[in-house]
Amino acid sequence: MLTKTPRDSFVEMTQMVLPSDTNALGTIFGGKIMSWVDIAGAIAAQRHARRNVVTVSMDQLHFRNPVKLGYTVRIRAQVAFVARTSMEVVVEIHAENPLSGEVTHTASASLTFVALDDHGRPTTVPGLIPETEEEKAAHEKAVSRRNRRLFEARKQAEK
Amino acid sequence: MLTKTPRDSFVEMTQMVLPSDTNALGTIFGGKIMSWVDIAGAIAAQRHARRNVVTVSMDQLHFRNPVKLGYTVRIRAQVAFVARTSMEVVVEIHAENPLSGEVTHTASASLTFVALDDHGRPTTVPGLIPETEEEKAAHEKAVSRRNRRLFEARKQAEK
Amino acid sequence: MLTKTPRDSFVEMTQMVLPSDTNALGTIFGGKIMSWVDIAGAIAAQRHARRNVVTVSMDQLHFRNPVKLGYTVRIRAQVAFVARTSMEVVVEIHAENPLSGEVTHTASASLTFVALDDHGRPTTVPGLIPETEEEKAAHEKAVSRRNRRLFEARKQAEK
Amino acid sequence: MLTKTPRDSFVEMTQMVLPSDTNALGTIFGGKIMSWVDIAGAIAAQRHARRNVVTVSMDQLHFRNPVKLGYTVRIRAQVAFVARTSMEVVVEIHAENPLSGEVTHTASASLTFVALDDHGRPTTVPGLIPETEEEKAAHEKAVSRRNRRLFEARKQAEK
Amino acid sequence: MLTKTPRDSFVEMTQMVLPSDTNALGTIFGGKIMSWVDIAGAIAAQRHARRNVVTVSMDQLHFRNPVKLGYTVRIRAQVAFVARTSMEVVVEIHAENPLSGEVTHTASASLTFVALDDHGRPTTVPGLIPETEEEKAAHEKAVSRRNRRLFEARKQAEK
Amino acid sequence: MLTKTPRDSFVEMTQMVLPSDTNALGTIFGGKIMSWVDIAGAIAAQRHARRNVVTVSMDQLHFRNPVKLGYTVRIRAQVAFVARTSMEVVVEIHAENPLSGEVTHTASASLTFVALDDHGRPTTVPGLIPETEEEKAAHEKAVSRRNRRLFEARKQAEK
């Protein structure tokens, strides 16, 4: 099975914040952004695995700036790390004021997806070779997030 | 300003998984669940603060079991901890197979919301008095999650 | 086949009124509430029958108070009466102003669902044993609504 | 204030049943039809009153035939009776199998709307002059439905 | 195979412009109208062919007047011309101000659909006999649009 | 007023085809693609003008290959030509089979948007300087499309 680079899975999604995406205050729902993030992440994971994928987990997500009605939201996702059957995808979310052009950082997210075979069972995915400095840094961060998750899961289990 | 109990903010939301909520495999999108979780959490935070609220962050979320087309999803949310202007809401998500009645645990989530005054600025919220053993345990866990978040934010800042 | 109590089928659904649910006046569409009522009712009927169900009829529905953008809507449904293959579900709808906490009665509804077997044909459902005083009163009202419906259907047929 | 005929308010709405309108069985939700009925009825009431309108009540609705994915639904609505500030709209719903062309009667509904002035208060609407035999029959039926509703409301109040 | 008239395929769709259909300015998205036009056109093509159909092309579409939140949109579609397996449908879109009753022409569109057999392959459709003067004029215009499209396609191919 | 390059307005949107986007055959609605194209085009026009924009027209659009449930759709839009208050945006749509990775050309579109000032009146937009060979070719094609449109509009008017 061949290996791939993070760039091979890169996806860019752009959305306009419509009235149906906003709450009574005219700002977007956190949950709406999460649902775009989940889809962008799944597309990146599918591009890496060329398999159907399911979301297994989403790491902590912190909204830094409000996103308003009419703003443009840009979501960039890319696989940062792979284990045997799972992939961690890093997602960056920015929002653009359409009138001023000002772009602000909305949130960063990291999600884990598992690849499924035709019977819905986890299946192996291609290896990942980070190439650029940025990709290597993202890979290292993903490894340490994974280690912390495994460590905490073990602590939970020992209780 | 009066204080409230976690129970005062309790909300139960039930949803049916419709075709428009599912992917090509007939299982629900993680992002769809996240958007229900965000709304249920916001309702709980509003019930505590009696203010408009915005989502500030969502802690790690892990999907334990797949949720399929036609299943019933039950989401329960309740404020577990409050700081001056923010509230941490704990959310439990279960799914029910409508034919067998089997109920499985889908995920647990914890979200932070900030209360806003009429000018959109953070505003103080009532205090929280956990009463039952369960509420006290949830409160303690929320405190330690908050401490870890503050600790990590400080580490980030020092870099 | 075992019998069940009305409580066994109880479902509580909570929804937030979003901009996409409202008309040009900022109040919710009657039709939106009806679609929530239909889903909550179907979940209750499924819990009783553990079968797929279809909506057969909805009794008169009267909206008592307007429900506005940002309000929280609480829908409670429970089977009140069963015939051989059909179930009558009673639904209570209340709305909550999120800032004042004031709760008003929006409407009461009563719907009939039929249980379907795997071939889509009507199939028998478990018996219903109302236990509390409230459940017994709901049962009696459902019986008299049913009698009136049958009476009117006969009058129609005789014309 | 001028008077109008039922025909002046006539509206025909056609919808295609899409996957997002159906349940896990591939048949449309009763609630989805109700929401189309509510909108078609509101358009008819607006055409009569040339005012914003709100749904006040929906009379009993009985689904006669299942409507499936891909079917075409035709909804026809027309004001049948007016009181000082309210209008009763009669709605006929038919479904068409797109491949065979067979058309079946899905349901009949009757809804009451109230016209609102610019301050959201009930306001008078034009009178209604039924012209054709069909319109006169619909008008009479609406009057007797209204009388029954008023009679039952009085009985309720006297208890 | 029998022939049909344009009138046999006629469809009228009425929609109310809801907040979820509008942009930040309170006017409807062009894309929303296009999606209604596509569905109305598909229903007309299905009524002619009594087959599943897919959209092949949409001719130039020009929006003449803005359509606002709360307006009623009326879409009328009818087959104007048929080739062996394809049908050209002409669609007229008008918008109505619900308070003044003023109706304005929004756009005219012409779409081509292909009929598919049970294996998803193009299949022959009934012939079309335009009867009224209007239908004959629409037929002639459709023929000349088709000739221009074929001419331009040939020019493209020769490059 | 400064000038801009076509690249300044470039937008890439990626969407996954969900069950709610498809018809009974499991292929996407033409109208759904049109609505994505309209939004992507509007974002490009907004980036050029830094003003609110409305869709004025859409040129002929031809769907070359079916797009199925689960496919990924990539939409790229960029301003190709500007007049005083209007902008022509060229949009390229491709679809990707998520399992095989095969990418096919779905359609090309060209839309015209008008920039609006704060009172909703047309307002001047920055000039456009095409730089690359590709941008110059797109600009020329847009000019000839515009000339043809003006020519045809004049012919219409003379009749």
Side-chain angles (χ1 to χ4, degrees), chain B residues 11-16 18 39 42-43 46-47 50-52 72 96-101, chain C residues 11-16 18 39 42-43 46-47 50-52 72 96-101:
Chain B
V11 57
E12 176 161 333
M13 173 191 274
T14 309
Q15 302 277 3
M16 192 188 282
L18 306 179
I39 289 176
I43 294 173
Q46 280 181 338
R47 285 192 175 159
R50 291 295 166 208
R51 291 286 189 175
N52 287 313
T72 300
E96 179 184 333
N97 178 324
L99 302 184
S100 71
Chain C
V11 57
E12 175 160 335
M13 173 190 274
T14 310
Q15 302 278 3
M16 191 188 281
L18 304 180
I39 290 176
I43 294 174
Q46 281 181 337
R47 285 193 175 158
R50 291 296 166 207
R51 292 285 189 175
N52 287 313
T72 300
E96 179 184 332
N97 178 325
L99 302 183
S100 72

Side-chain angles (χ1 to χ4, degrees), chain F residues 118-131:
Chain F
D118 297 349
H119 307 284
R121 286 177 308 220
T123 187
T124 53
V125 300
L128 184 81
I129 310 287
E131 293 186 328

Side-chain angles (χ1 to χ4, degrees), chain F residues 59-72:
Chain F
D59 226 54
Q60 199 210 311
L61 192 146
H62 185 81
F63 294 103
R64 284 164 209 288
N65 293 285
V67 178
K68 296 188 182 158
L69 181 59
Y71 275 36
T72 300

Side-chain angles (χ1 to χ4, degrees), chain D residues 5-7 78 129-139:
Chain D
T5 70
R7 181 73 203 172
Q78 186 165 293
I129 311 286
E131 294 186 328
T132 68
E133 285 315 303
E134 228 177 356
E135 289 173 4
K136 284 172 188 166
H139 185 265

Side-chain angles (χ1 to χ4, degrees), chain D residues 21-86:
Chain D
D21 304 326
T22 59
N23 60 21
L25 297 171
T27 52
I28 200 173
F29 274 99
K32 185 73 199 186
I33 292 180
M34 291 173 208
S35 96
W36 289 338
V37 162
D38 182 52
I39 290 176
I43 294 173
Q46 281 180 338
R47 285 193 175 158
H48 184 81
R50 292 294 166 210
R51 291 286 190 175
N52 287 313
V53 302
V54 288
T55 315
V56 171
S57 68
M58 187 188 241
D59 226 54
Q60 200 210 308
L61 191 147
H62 184 80
F63 294 103
R64 285 164 209 288
N65 293 286
V67 179
K68 295 190 182 158
L69 180 59
Y71 276 35
T72 299
V73 176
R74 190 190 68 207
I75 296 164
R76 287 178 170 159
Q78 186 165 293
V79 172
F81 170 84
V82 310
R84 209 176 56 82
T85 63
S86 71

Side-chain angles (χ1 to χ4, degrees), chain D residues 12 14 47 50 96 98-99, chain E residues 12 14 47 50 96 98-99:
Chain D
E12 175 159 333
T14 309
R47 285 193 175 158
R50 292 294 166 210
E96 178 183 333
L99 303 185
Chain E
E12 176 159 334
T14 309
R47 285 193 174 158
R50 290 297 167 207
E96 179 183 332
L99 302 184

Side-chain angles (χ1 to χ4, degrees), chain C residues 2-136:
Chain C
L2 80 187
T3 58
K4 294 188 170 178
T5 70
R7 181 72 202 173
D8 291 333
S9 66
F10 178 75
V11 57
E12 175 160 335
M13 173 190 274
T14 310
Q15 302 278 3
M16 191 188 281
V17 181
L18 304 180
S20 50
D21 305 326
T22 58
N23 59 21
L25 297 171
T27 53
I28 200 172
F29 274 100
K32 185 74 199 184
I33 291 180
M34 291 173 207
S35 94
W36 289 339
V37 162
D38 182 52
I39 290 176
I43 294 174
Q46 281 181 337
R47 285 193 175 158
H48 183 81
R50 291 296 166 207
R51 292 285 189 175
N52 287 313
V53 303
V54 288
T55 315
V56 171
S57 68
M58 189 187 237
D59 226 54
Q60 199 208 310
L61 193 146
H62 185 80
F63 294 103
R64 285 164 208 290
N65 293 285
V67 179
K68 294 189 184 158
L69 181 58
Y71 276 35
T72 300
V73 176
R74 190 190 68 207
I75 295 164
R76 287 178 170 159
Q78 185 165 295
V79 172
F81 170 84
V82 311
R84 208 175 57 82
T85 63
S86 71
M87 296 153 282
E88 184 170 336
V89 178
V90 165
V91 188
E92 287 297 325
I93 307 133
H94 286 84
E96 179 184 332
N97 178 325
L99 302 183
S100 72
E102 191 197 8
V103 173
T104 51
H105 182 219
T106 305
S108 303
S110 112
L111 297 91
T112 307
F113 294 88
V114 160
L116 301 180
D117 67 15
D118 297 348
H119 308 284
R121 287 176 308 219
T123 187
T124 53
V125 300
L128 185 80
I129 310 288
E131 293 187 328
T132 68
E133 285 315 303
E134 229 178 354
E135 288 172 5
K136 285 173 187 165

